[in-house]
Amino acid sequence: MFAITKKELHQFFSSLTGYITITLFLLINGLFLFVLKDSNIFDFGYATLDKFFELAPWIFLFLIPALTMRTLSEEYRSGTFEILQTRPLTGWQIVSGKYLAVIIIIVFSSLPTLLYVITIKSLSAGGGIDSGGITGSYIGLIFLAAVFAAISICFSGLTNNAVIGFLTSAFSCLLLYFGCNAISKLPLFEGRADYYIEMIGIDFHYRSISRGVLDTRDLVYFLSIIIFFLLLAVQNLNKR
C-alpha cells in the first residue's frame, strides 16, 4: 500500500503539473481573499477567515476531481492495472494506497494557507482571532476534501477515460455538497422533511464543524461517506 502511495506522490511531484495545481489553488484563494472587491477580507472589516472557508469547498470541488481523474482510469487505459494484478496486492490496498497519496497532496496544498491565519491575526485590531472556529473550519475542510477524494477515486475507477472520470466526479461532489441543501429548500419539503434532507448533504456537516464544535455525528457522517465510496471503488476494482 505504501509503495503505491509513494509511486503516486512521486508521479505528482516529479512534474510541473503538480506544482502548477498547488500554485493555482493558492493563487485563486489569494485573489478572492485579498484582491477582488466583493470578496476580499479588507472590505469585510472583520478579522476572520470565513470567506476562505466558504470559497475553499468550491475550489476543491474541481481541484480534487482534477487530481484524481487519472488515479485508476489511467491504470486501465495504459494497461498497468494488469501488472498491479500480478503483485501480491488486494483491491483495498491499491485503492487505499492511492487514496492516502491524494490526502497527503491535499494537506500539503493546504499548509501554505496557514499564512492567511498569521496575516489576519497581525492585521486584527486587538491582535486576536477566533482560534477555535478557525481550527474547526480547517478540520471540516480536511474532512470535506477527504470525502471529495473518496468520491473522485470511486468514479475514476468506473471508466478508462480520465475526462469522463473528472466530469462524473465533479458532478457527484457538487450534488452531495450543494444538491441536498438546494432540494431541502423546495416548497414541497418546507416544514416537513427539509431538515432531514439537508442533513444528507456535506455542506450541513461542514458548517457544523466550522463552528468550532466537533460533534461525533458529523465525524461519523464523514467517515461513513468516505468508507462507502472507497468500498465501492474496491468492489469495482475486484470485478475487473
Side-chain angles (χ1 to χ4, degrees), residues 39-125:
S39 60
N40 76 74
I41 54 180
F42 300 118
D43 290 342
F44 190 56
Y46 294 96
T48 176
L49 280 176
D50 288 350
K51 294 287 184 182
F52 167 66
F53 293 113
E54 289 171 8
L55 173 67
W58 293 99
I59 299 176
F60 276 157
L61 197 61
F62 298 99
L63 178 70
I64 293 174
L67 286 175
T68 58
M69 65 182 184
R70 299 175 62 186
T71 304
L72 290 172
S73 60
E74 187 66 20
E75 301 279 5
Y76 302 150
R77 192 192 64 79
S78 62
T80 52
F81 179 66
E82 283 72 17
I83 298 173
L84 281 177
Q85 286 181 308
T86 63
R87 302 294 174 88
L89 293 167
T90 63
W92 177 255
Q93 287 174 323
I94 294 171
V95 170
S96 57
K98 290 177 176 291
Y99 180 72
L100 180 59
V102 174
I103 296 300
I104 291 172
I105 292 168
I106 292 167
V107 171
F108 182 80
S109 303
S110 302
L111 283 177
T113 65
L114 293 174
L115 290 172
Y116 301 156
V117 181
I118 299 169
T119 303
I120 292 298
K121 188 173 182 179
S122 63
L123 292 174
S124 64

Side-chain angles (χ1 to χ4, degrees), residues 121-140:
K121 188 173 182 179
S122 63
L123 292 174
S124 64
I129 55 175
D130 182 9
S131 301
I134 289 176
T135 302
S137 296
Y138 265 109
I139 293 171

Side-chain angles (χ1 to χ4, degrees), residues 15-58:
S15 67
L16 280 175
T17 307
Y19 297 100
I20 290 171
T21 302
I22 295 172
T23 303
L24 281 174
F25 170 67
L26 297 172
L27 185 62
I28 293 170
N29 276 313
L31 284 172
F32 274 94
L33 290 177
F34 299 105
V35 179
L36 297 182
K37 185 178 179 181
D38 294 329
S39 60
N40 76 74
I41 54 180
F42 300 118
D43 290 342
F44 190 56
Y46 294 96
T48 176
L49 280 176
D50 288 350
K51 294 287 184 182
F52 167 66
F53 293 113
E54 289 171 8
L55 173 67
W58 293 99

